[in-house]
Amino acid sequence: MSIQLGMIGGGMMGEALISRLIVQEIYTPERILVSDPQAERRKFLSDRYKVQTTAQNLEAAQTDVLLLAVKPQMFDQVVAELAGDGVTSVALILSILAGTPLEKLERAFPDKAVIRAMPNTPATVGAGITAISPGLLAQSHHLEQATRIFGAVGEVVEVAESYMDAITGLSGSGPGYVALIIEALADGGVAAGLPRVIATKLAIQTVKGSAQLLQDTGMHPAQLKDQVTSPGGTTIAGVAHLERAGVRSALIEAVRSAYLRSQELGQ
Ligand SMILES: NC(=O)c1ccc[n+]([C@@H]2O[C@H](COP(=O)([O-])OP(=O)(O)OC[C@H]3O[C@@H](n4cnc5c(N)ncnc54)[C@H](OP(=O)(O)O)[C@@H]3O)[C@@H](O)[C@H]2O)c1
């Protein structure tokens, strides 16, 4: 049976994609070939997901779609291994390498359709969001294919590549900000006398439920805030404290700092 998806690098994000692609029956396990240098990792992936594995990147590149999922610093080494006729059979190259521009990908694979993607960690539970940017040779059917693949781990948005650093600062780094906010909310609950386990459960569900409410209704966040702040009530007292502490501008600056850092790292 021929391989349809070759994956170079079977780490955290690679595994997230493999697990969801199989669950959603986008590819059957025997159609996926993952290359990874660690024998233990290969055994884990083949035992758990029944995918094919190899230690040879060149072998994983004998496929229709090739997904690059190594750390960005490994890119040059991988390209050197695939030099020459290494990617002859590949019709589409997908890269999730942070900070690796299309121009660099296209220079490495000159006659190939390339799509750059930026997923985020909630992809591991199928609740991620992936931004994709097409290279010069990518056509609409390639974009459809990429949307189907990354759609397995959550939502997909197509954007101009010039937005990628901003996206890294918002949705790429965002899970870190939200985790910190949830931890702090739980600490607040504990400070107010709640047991830690209950406080954490309440904090997680409050963030998740509020996000879902906004998503399902299309309501503006300010409208939700207005709805829950009754005159002289508890929520406006809490909101007033958040404003005094500068939480709003701290979050704006967090996204901006991560955006600037992403720009810096890409140079
Ligand atoms: N994790 C995220 O939330 C996230 C979000 C957006 C984008 N990304 C991007 O996704 C890529 C992968 O991230 P990750 O978190 O999945 O990293 P990871 O867990 O370190 O996975 C990378 C995998 O590639 C393997 N590898 C190393 N050198 C290789 C080579 N020459 N050929 C083939 N495989 C090789 C690694 O093996 P060893 O462990 O032995 O080195 C590891 O199993 C990165 O480029 C990152 O920028 C990640």
Side-chain angles (χ1 to χ4, degrees):
M1 188 172 277
S2 67
I3 297 299
Q4 290 178 326
L5 178 70
M7 185 180 289
I8 296 189
M12 197 196 93
M13 196 48 80
E15 182 183 351
L17 279 156
I18 290 168
S19 69
R20 303 286 305 175
L21 286 167
I22 292 169
V23 167
Q24 300 205 359
E25 298 180 351
I26 293 171
Y27 293 106
T28 54
E30 60 277 12
R31 298 271 193 180
I32 300 177
L33 174 61
V34 186
S35 68
D36 198 279
Q38 300 263 3
E40 210 178 304
R41 186 68 185 160
R42 292 197 300 276
K43 181 168 173 2
F44 168 80
L45 294 172
S46 65
D47 285 352
R48 180 140 191 190
Y49 301 105
K50 313 294 174 219
V51 291
Q52 319 259 15
T53 61
T54 175
Q56 306 304 323
N57 289 336
L58 205 49
E59 204 182 319
Q62 307 315 304
T63 177
D64 179 34
V65 179
L66 180 64
L67 198 149
L68 304 178
V70 292
K71 292 281 189 205
Q73 57 270 30
M74 300 313 298
F75 179 70
D76 290 338
Q77 187 185 315
V78 168
V79 170
E81 287 171 49
L82 303 181
D85 295 337
V87 291
T88 306
S89 68
V90 176
L92 172 62
I93 294 177
L94 303 173
S95 164
I96 61 168
L97 276 60
T100 306
L102 278 168
E103 190 252 324
K104 187 169 177 180
L105 295 162
E106 288 177 324
R107 213 175 331 119
F109 305 107
D111 53 350
K112 296 292 168 188
V114 176
I115 293 177
R116 177 179 172 190
M118 170 54 65
N120 65 356
T121 319
T124 52
V125 290
I129 184 152
T130 304
I132 56 173
S133 300
L136 291 172
L137 298 180
Q139 295 169 18
S140 58
H141 67 277
H142 294 126
L143 273 165
E144 276 163 28
Q145 222 167 350
T147 302
R148 215 161 141 251
I149 289 171
F150 291 110
V153 291
E155 300 211 18
V156 181
V157 284
E158 186 193 332
V159 297
E161 192 188 18
S162 56
Y163 288 142
M164 276 296 183
D165 289 316
I167 283 163
T168 303
L170 178 52
S171 58
S173 304
Y177 317 149
V178 175
L180 182 147
I181 290 166
I182 289 175
E183 188 191 14
L185 288 173
D187 281 346
V190 172
L194 291 174
R196 170 69 60 185
V197 174
I198 295 176
T200 303
K201 192 177 169 93
L202 290 165
I204 290 173
Q205 188 54 37
T206 301
V207 170
K208 189 176 163 190
S210 306
Q212 190 167 346
L213 179 59
L214 292 175
Q215 189 170 50
D216 290 358
T217 59
M219 195 191 291
H220 189 285
Q223 203 184 338
L224 173 57
K225 186 261 296 165
D226 285 0
Q227 250 180 34
V228 295
T229 45
S230 50
T234 57
T235 309
I236 193 65
V239 166
H241 190 90
L242 290 175
E243 295 289 12
R244 272 198 304 279
V247 167
R248 189 187 292 264
S249 61
L251 287 171
I252 292 170
E253 289 309 319
V255 176
R256 241 170 54 83
S257 302
Y259 155 71
L260 293 173
R261 181 71 184 134
S262 176
Q263 273 188 332
E264 221 172 74
L265 290 174
Q267 270 155 23

